[in-house]
Amino acid sequence: MKLGTIESIWRYPVKGMRGEEVPYIYTGYAGLMGDRVYSVIAEDGDPAFPWHTGRDQEEFVIYEARYRDGGDLLLPQDLDAFEGLAPGIKPIYPALADYAVEVTTPEGATHDIDSPAFLDDLQRAAGRKLRVHASQKGQHDCRPLSIFSNSAARQLGEETGMSVDKRRFRANFYVDWENQDDPYFEFSLVGKTIRIGDRLEIAVIERDPRCKMITLDPDTSEETPKLLQHVSRKHGGDAGVFAAVLQEGRVKKGDPIYLT
């Protein structure tokens, strides 16, 4: 049963910074290849949630991070050969050193993420001591995949009387559902398994509880608290869903989504 279509795919090289749209990507058990490989950690942060994000510094969401060799970090090498083997045989990912990232600040300066100049610039703007942390495993708040529908963005816009940019929700997969009657159709998929494209299978685990991040304009970082207030009051604080990968595979824009 076809449920919908992948409208766009997004990954976030640095947790909390502006994401990048990609035409296709490999999605493994740890999430999208290259997603949230880097983060910025506050030395004075809560040990249970040490990351420095737009919760702490609103303009952090408009720092623009990109991989220098982005085209080489979408699919593992020799993927066709690995996919010809039994499910569960994992392809070889690039070395961590290959995930070189450049960051452009809101003022237009561009730095390598591991350069002292980047950290000095960011610490001055944030007013706190920070460090960069890298992990190929991905640094997600909860689950390795997030899904959000364009219909939900439109409906929230109607309910709040504001223009709601889907990018506020920082999802990996933005989708268009076949079901036109329920703008929040993704909520009905919690506890179910879906297939995307030819191979990727994921379990929709839970609704996505939201925080201050959705209040920040992805182009200006201007804060609009009423959006989070509305989601909390009318939708239990949730928007979109989290998922876990059951079978790895590549995904491309336009791929169909099926209920398994």
Side-chain angles (χ1 to χ4, degrees):
M1 175 182 175
K2 184 180 178 182
L3 300 178
T5 304
I6 297 292
E7 182 268 335
S8 60
I9 303 166
W10 292 71
R11 70 176 176 186
Y12 306 83
V14 180
K15 180 182 178 69
M17 290 188 184
R18 180 175 286 165
E20 59 175 3
E21 184 177 0
V22 295
Y24 58 88
I25 201 161
Y26 187 76
T27 302
Y29 298 120
L32 274 65
M33 188 169 168
D35 188 41
R36 296 170 170 92
V37 165
Y38 291 90
S39 69
V40 176
I41 290 179
E43 297 291 0
D44 62 348
D46 182 344
F49 195 90
W51 294 281
H52 178 81
T53 69
R55 298 177 181 89
D56 313 287
Q57 177 194 3
E58 285 84 357
E59 62 268 25
F60 195 79
V61 300
I62 58 174
Y63 279 74
E64 186 170 355
R66 71 188 72 82
Y67 289 111
R68 276 205 222 108
D69 299 317
D72 293 331
L73 297 173
L74 297 174
L75 300 176
Q77 291 185 356
D78 302 317
L79 180 57
D80 290 338
F82 280 95
E83 288 188 340
L85 302 174
I89 304 298
K90 295 175 65 64
I92 298 174
Y93 276 40
L96 186 57
D98 294 328
Y99 288 83
V101 162
E102 294 177 338
V103 177
T104 300
T105 72
E107 294 73 33
T110 298
H111 306 289
D112 292 337
I113 195 168
D114 57 358
S115 71
F118 165 72
L119 199 57
D120 289 346
D121 182 273
L122 185 59
Q123 288 181 139
R124 282 194 297 271
R128 63 195 311 201
K129 187 172 177 57
L130 305 168
R131 62 183 173 88
V132 173
H133 182 70
S135 170
Q136 279 181 302
K137 188 177 179 180
Q139 301 172 77
H140 307 90
D141 287 352
C142 184
R143 306 293 180 178
L145 286 181
S146 55
I147 301 170
F148 187 75
S149 65
N150 290 313
S151 57
R154 289 191 295 269
Q155 183 64 25
L156 286 171
E158 292 181 14
E159 292 172 6
T160 59
M162 61 183 285
S163 177
V164 176
D165 190 317
K166 67 183 182 183
R167 294 176 298 159
R168 288 177 179 266
F169 298 88
R170 303 183 63 79
N172 295 125
F173 299 144
Y174 292 98
V175 303
D176 288 322
W177 299 121
E178 297 284 299
N179 187 325
Q180 299 294 309
D181 298 324
D182 182 2
Y184 303 108
F185 179 70
E186 54 261 42
F187 287 160
S188 72
L189 298 177
V190 172
K192 298 178 180 178
T193 299
I194 60 178
R195 189 179 85 246
I196 301 175
D198 297 328
R199 192 176 180 93
L200 180 68
E201 289 190 7
I202 64 176
V204 182
I205 303 296
E206 60 189 331
R207 290 160 59 138
D208 187 345
R210 294 298 179 166
C211 66
K212 174 182 175 177
M213 294 293 285
I214 69 170
T215 72
L216 304 178
D217 186 293
D219 289 322
T220 67
S221 75
E222 181 180 353
E223 188 177 7
T224 309
K226 77 172 184 178
L227 179 58
L228 180 58
Q229 293 167 359
H230 175 82
V231 169
S232 298
R233 186 171 61 252
K234 297 296 185 180
H235 301 286
D238 303 326
V241 293
F242 282 130
V245 174
L246 301 178
Q247 178 172 290
E248 300 179 319
R250 67 186 91 189
V251 178
K252 65 181 184 298
K253 181 175 180 176
D255 268 350
I257 304 168
Y258 298 101
L259 185 66
T260 63

